[in-house]
Amino acid sequence: MLEDFVANYIEHADEEYFLGSYIIQSKDNNNDLLDGQQRITTLFLLFAFLRDYEMASDEVKENCESLIFQKANKIRHIEERIRLSYEIRGNVKAFIEEFLMPSGSINLHWSEIEKKVSSKKENLSIQRMCNALICFKKFFTERVNIDLDAFLGFILNNVVMIYISADSLEDAFRLFSVMNDRGQKLSNADILKSSNLEKIDDDIDMNNYAREWEDMQEDFGNDFDRFLAYIRTMLLKKRPKMNLLDEYNKLIFKTGLIKQGKEFFDYVFKVYKDYNTLINLHDNEDSEYCTLIRILINCMPSTDWIPVVLAYGRKYGNSGLLIFTQKVACKNIADAVCGKVPSYRIDNLNNIINLIDESVDYQSVLNAKEFYSFDQNVFMANIQSEVYGRRYTYALLMMLEYKYKDKSEWKEFGTVSIEHILPQTPSANSRWVRDFSNHPKLAY
């Protein structure tokens, strides 16, 4: 962005520079920014830096100060306030108020800003803000020939953004989904967080829930939406018919399956805790179960089994958990070997979640043979034909390894090579020699 601004303020000083659009939900006192957060925040940080930059003129500093902080005006009934506030991001708001809002605060806290960039304990948003400030300093220090008065004048007079305003959160998100085609888009997780935080009246509670959600989101990274899809499957117990947000809004919230706000957050946080134990295997000492889960995570062609294991573990804990997970794994692989289409396999797994939900004890779940049965004749015929190159082959071979290997110490999932499957010294008339060419990479 800085490179673009510098190039255009010199070469295209009389032309407009379009920085895109942003979407807000209009409110009485504040407007909630739903799309355009990265650009607006970056501009805010840039103005804060130039306000405190020693090479900037007094005019640049005064203009930047007015862009960051709105002074009170009793005659016009204007209150004193900062122009950009992170109301739902806990200590990010405190960081802005201390490190960015007061004039001279960046210079005063510069050594702390440098430390926060590399601190693993620091909030990720704060790390990125500090990194941006350091980037600004490096950029302008290396380009001392920039006319900062003209540079800022170009931004304030030539840089154009279009804003779209909606009265309701639902309308704003609908606009967002239709129009946002640049930058890092809000994820389903971001939208669910915002719409549920809006239902919490107490500011302290809202900040606490927001902070815990962001820690969880940071832990999952790009897989967070998938985790929310697992929760959706456990709640609805059927294949999705619409996008994830619509299913939460129309089939979960509006039907009263879960109430928005605290009840939703509490439910997600509890599932997250169980997920860490059952799937991420935190503090899980059952070596055989851990080995099985690692095989399923690394080898299964899909993760549709995860909500099923989660549903069982959340209801019955460790009682029969290993046996149940083995049954689900074998059923899922067997259906794939038998040529069942994904929709059929997913429906079977969802039927097992229904079974768990309606059961009165774990034995009734384990003994429901019809939920784990498959056509053994078709299965045997298919594995005796050409199995290599199929999506399920890796999982099938590793499940065989799991079945016959000592599982008491086989907890870590190691690298698997072709040598691990083929015999090292087959006899000359062995079928292994006929089926596999003596290629150097196969290394008998």
Side-chain angles (χ1 to χ4, degrees):
M1 187 185 75
L2 291 174
E3 293 284 4
D4 265 6
F5 285 171
V6 167
N8 281 274
Y9 101 89
I10 297 173
E11 299 173 14
H12 307 284
D14 298 325
E15 299 177 14
E16 290 184 337
Y17 178 97
F18 182 55
L19 196 57
S21 60
Y22 62 97
I23 300 173
I24 61 172
Q25 180 193 358
S26 10
K27 295 184 175 179
D28 293 336
N29 297 319
N30 295 297
N31 295 320
D32 284 349
L33 182 63
L34 303 180
D35 183 33
Q37 293 145 327
Q38 288 176 305
R39 284 163 291 157
I40 295 293
T41 301
T42 304
L43 288 172
F44 176 81
L45 291 168
L46 176 61
F47 297 148
F49 175 83
L50 291 175
R51 177 204 61 200
D52 293 350
Y53 186 42
E54 58 185 9
M55 301 300 292
S57 67
D58 290 341
E59 193 169 359
V60 167
K61 293 180 179 182
E62 288 171 9
N63 274 276
C64 287
E65 173 71 16
S66 67
L67 293 167
I68 295 163
F69 185 73
Q70 175 181 284
K71 293 182 179 179
N73 188 319
K74 293 181 181 179
I75 295 175
R76 297 179 62 189
H77 297 208
I78 295 175
E79 296 181 356
E80 178 180 278
R81 59 170 292 176
I82 192 169
R83 295 194 185 276
L84 184 66
S85 180
Y86 284 73
E87 296 290 345
I88 62 171
R89 288 186 177 263
N91 57 343
V92 178
K93 181 182 179 183
F95 170 80
I96 290 174
E97 290 177 348
E98 181 181 356
F99 285 69
L100 299 177
M101 181 175 169
S103 181
S105 57
I106 293 178
N107 295 333
L108 181 65
H109 296 289
W110 188 254
S111 60
E112 295 173 74
I113 288 170
E114 289 180 315
K115 291 177 183 177
K116 287 180 181 292
V117 169
S118 56
S119 173
K120 294 182 179 179
K121 296 180 180 179
E122 190 56 77
N123 178 286
L124 187 59
S125 294
I126 293 176
Q127 279 186 316
R128 288 173 175 169
M129 286 184 174
C130 292
N131 192 56
L133 294 172
I134 291 172
C135 173
F136 294 150
K137 185 167 186 176
K138 183 175 184 294
F139 183 86
F140 289 110
T141 300
E142 293 175 351
R143 294 164 180 80
V144 292
N145 60 331
I146 292 176
D147 182 339
L148 292 178
D149 289 63
F151 177 76
L152 181 62
F154 176 82
I155 295 174
L156 299 185
N157 295 296
N158 298 66
V159 173
V160 176
M161 292 187 74
I162 296 174
Y163 81 88
I164 299 133
S165 174
D167 292 330
S168 72
L169 187 66
E170 186 176 356
D171 288 341
F173 282 138
R174 188 177 295 112
L175 280 168
F176 162 78
S177 62
V178 170
M179 298 189 60
N180 189 4
D181 61 354
R182 63 182 296 171
Q184 182 175 327
K185 299 183 180 182
L186 284 175
S187 64
N188 292 319
D190 291 321
I191 297 174
L192 281 173
K193 178 187 71 175
S194 297
S195 61
N196 278 275
L197 285 173
E198 194 178 51
K199 304 296 182 181
I200 301 175
D201 296 326
D202 184 83
D203 287 345
I204 295 177
D205 285 345
M206 183 178 69
N207 284 330
N208 289 336
Y209 278 111
R211 191 177 302 110
E212 189 170 352
W213 179 278
E214 286 164 11
D215 289 341
M216 179 175 58
Q217 188 169 3
E218 188 174 333
D219 185 25
F220 275 108
N222 294 331
D223 290 329
F224 195 22
D225 277 6
R226 182 180 294 181
F227 170 70
L228 293 171
Y230 296 152
I231 295 177
R232 167 246 165 253
T233 298
M234 287 191 292
L235 290 168
L236 298 179
K237 309 173 189 70
K238 58 185 178 182
R239 276 184 285 139
K241 302 293 184 182
M242 54 188 82
N243 67 60
L244 187 63
L245 278 178
D246 283 341
E247 295 221 313
Y248 267 100
N249 288 327
K250 296 176 181 179
L251 303 180
I252 294 175
F253 296 144
K254 286 187 177 180
T255 61
L257 203 55
I258 288 183
K259 291 181 181 178
Q260 282 188 282
K262 292 183 179 181
E263 184 176 320
F264 168 72
F265 284 120
D266 290 338
Y267 185 87
V268 173
F269 295 156
K270 181 62 172 67
V271 176
Y272 172 59
K273 182 179 178 181
D274 295 331
Y275 183 92
N276 278 332
T277 301
L278 296 166
I279 308 300
N280 284 338
L281 308 175
H282 293 178
D283 301 320
N284 196 317
E285 298 301 323
D286 187 336
S287 61
E288 187 168 353
Y289 174 79
C290 290
T291 299
L292 177 59
I293 291 297
R294 286 190 175 94
I295 288 174
L296 297 180
I297 289 173
N298 284 278
C299 306
M300 288 290 274
S302 76
T303 59
D304 297 318
W305 57 271
I306 288 181
V308 188
V309 173
L310 264 178
Y312 183 94
R314 282 171 53 75
K315 185 166 185 176
Y316 293 119
N318 291 325
S319 299
L321 177 63
L322 175 61
I323 298 173
F324 173 79
T325 308
Q326 290 171 341
K327 286 176 176 289
V328 170
C330 290
K331 167 64 173 171
N332 206 21
I333 293 173
D335 280 346
V337 173
C338 291
K340 300 297 184 183
V341 295
S343 58
Y344 175 92
R345 301 200 299 269
I346 292 170
D347 285 343
N348 274 343
L349 292 171
N350 289 332
N351 288 337
I352 297 175
I353 298 177
N354 267 310
L355 169 67
I356 295 166
D357 191 46
E358 297 169 2
S359 63
V360 293
D361 59 73
Y362 76 92
Q363 289 291 354
S364 62
V365 177
L366 299 181
N367 294 332
K369 295 181 180 179
E370 65 275 18
F371 287 87
Y372 315 109
S373 62
F374 54 90
D375 191 324
Q376 296 186 25
N377 292 327
V378 173
F379 178 86
M380 293 304 298
N382 286 346
I383 64 170
Q384 290 171 3
S385 61
E386 185 58 55
V387 297
Y388 293 100
R390 308 282 185 177
R391 290 193 67 203
Y392 57 76
T393 305
Y394 191 19
L396 184 65
L397 292 170
M398 289 308 299
M399 284 298 291
L400 284 170
E401 179 80 354
Y402 168 81
K403 178 176 175 59
Y404 292 110
K405 184 163 182 171
D406 176 14
K407 293 170 277 292
S408 60
E409 297 180 358
W410 194 41
K411 192 170 181 179
E412 294 301 323
F413 190 89
T415 302
V416 178
S417 67
I418 194 69
E419 186 181 29
H420 194 61
I421 297 168
L422 300 180
Q424 293 184 345
T425 54
S427 58
N429 60 350
S430 167
R431 181 162 179 173
W432 291 108
V433 175
R434 296 200 306 273
D435 288 350
F436 293 88
S437 62
N438 192 17
H439 192 279
K441 290 185 178 180
L442 291 179
Y444 290 118

